[in-house]
Every structure is written in C-alpha cells, then in structure tokens.
C-alpha cells in the first residue's frame, strides 16, 4: 500500500490501483498462514466482492484516503505502524472519544518526555518542548502534518 501511495504521488512508476488491489489481496491471503484457518480462509470471490465495495473500490479522486484507510486495516496486526501512518497521513478519518475531554477533542500524537529528562537535561528539554508547542500528548512531531 505504501507503493500504491508512492505511485499515486508520482514518486515511482506503476499503477497505484494495481499496487492497491494487489496489497489488499496479499493481506487477505496471509491469513491462510495462521493456524486453524485452513488453506484459503478468504476466497477469491470474497476478495473481489470486497474490492468492488463503493467505499473500497479504487478511484483516483479519493486515492490517498482509500490507500491509507486500507493501510490502517492491514496493520491490525501492527498497531504501532497503524498509529504512525494515521498521524502521517490523517487517514482514516477518526472521531475522538467524546468521553475523554483531557485531549481537548484530539488524539494522542506522541509520548511525553520522561520526567527525568526535565531534571537531568533542563535546557535541552525546554528547547525541545518549546519547538513542538509544549511537552503535551497532543503536540505533533515534525512529520505529523496531514
């Protein structure tokens, strides 16, 4: 799916749609490697039906959203990567938990610096914190700019 995004952005040659569809197929096919799932837990007709769904079918207008939403889905087994890509791309479009107002309607964007850092390296801590808008969970890191 990263190749699909790169092709869509013109960074590499090839069809973004082909990369996109092949990546989804490969992800669904990987489940046959899991114990107890048999040799083909997801059939070709099921994959084709999924790829044909209106909110999945590739179209150039919504390509970045489609690609990165599918990337979120395929990374169900790798939450750290899904979280990083969500911050990088802004997709999928998620709604913050309304019961948690500690983040002012936002999402955790980074981990805060350890308390020891402020006491052991005060100047660098202050400079680094100021550069990102404060040592807050909702402060964005330099690449978190969807």
């Amino acid at each position: 799916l990263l190749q699909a995004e790169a092709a869509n952005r013109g960074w590499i040659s090839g069809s973004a749609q082909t990369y996109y569809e092949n990546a989804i197929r490969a992800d669904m096919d990987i489940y046959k490697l899991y114990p107890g799932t048999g040799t083909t837990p997801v059939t070709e007709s099921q994959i084709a039906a999924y790829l044909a769904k209106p909110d999945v079918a590739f179209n150039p207008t919504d390509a970045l959203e489609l690609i990165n939403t599918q990337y979120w889905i395929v990374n169900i087994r790798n939450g750290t990567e899904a979280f990083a890509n969500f911050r990088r791309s802004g997709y999928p479009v998620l709604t913050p938990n309304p019961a948690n107002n500690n983040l002012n309607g936002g999402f955790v964007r980074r981990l805060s610096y350890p308390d020891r850092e402020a006491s052991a390296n005060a100047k660098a801590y202050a400079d680094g914190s100021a550069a990102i808008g404060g040592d807050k969970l909702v402060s964005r890191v330099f690449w978190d700019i969807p």
Side-chain angles (χ1 to χ4, degrees), residues 30 36 48 53 61 69-70 72 75 118 140:
I30 199 90
K53 290 183 175 214
T61 304
T69 297
Q70 290 303 310
W72 170 270
N75 276 300
R140 291 177 182 261

Side-chain angles (χ1 to χ4, degrees), residues 23-107:
I24 292 170
R25 287 176 189 284
D27 181 64
M28 290 182 172
D29 195 43
I30 199 90
Y31 285 96
K32 71 182 177 188
L33 300 176
Y34 285 72
T37 61
T39 56
T40 53
V42 183
T43 66
E44 180 57 37
S45 63
Q46 290 170 321
I47 294 171
Y50 181 77
L51 289 170
K53 290 183 175 214
D55 57 344
V56 176
F58 187 87
N59 71 73
T61 304
D62 300 321
L64 288 177
E65 181 175 4
L66 290 167
I67 291 164
N68 285 291
T69 297
Q70 290 303 310
Y71 195 65
W72 170 270
I73 293 167
V74 303
N75 276 300
I76 193 162
R77 298 174 304 274
N78 186 352
T80 303
E81 179 62 19
F83 175 56
N85 196 67
F86 161 70
R87 292 183 299 160
R88 179 190 68 82
S89 69
Y91 296 111
V93 176
L94 301 173
T95 303
N97 181 347
N100 181 357
N101 199 24
N102 296 333
L103 300 174
N104 299 319
F107 290 98

Side-chain angles (χ1 to χ4, degrees), residues 121-138:
N121 196 3
K123 177 160 178 15
Y125 169 80
D127 292 347
S129 294
I132 61 171
D135 186 17
K136 303 173 197 155
L137 293 176
V138 294

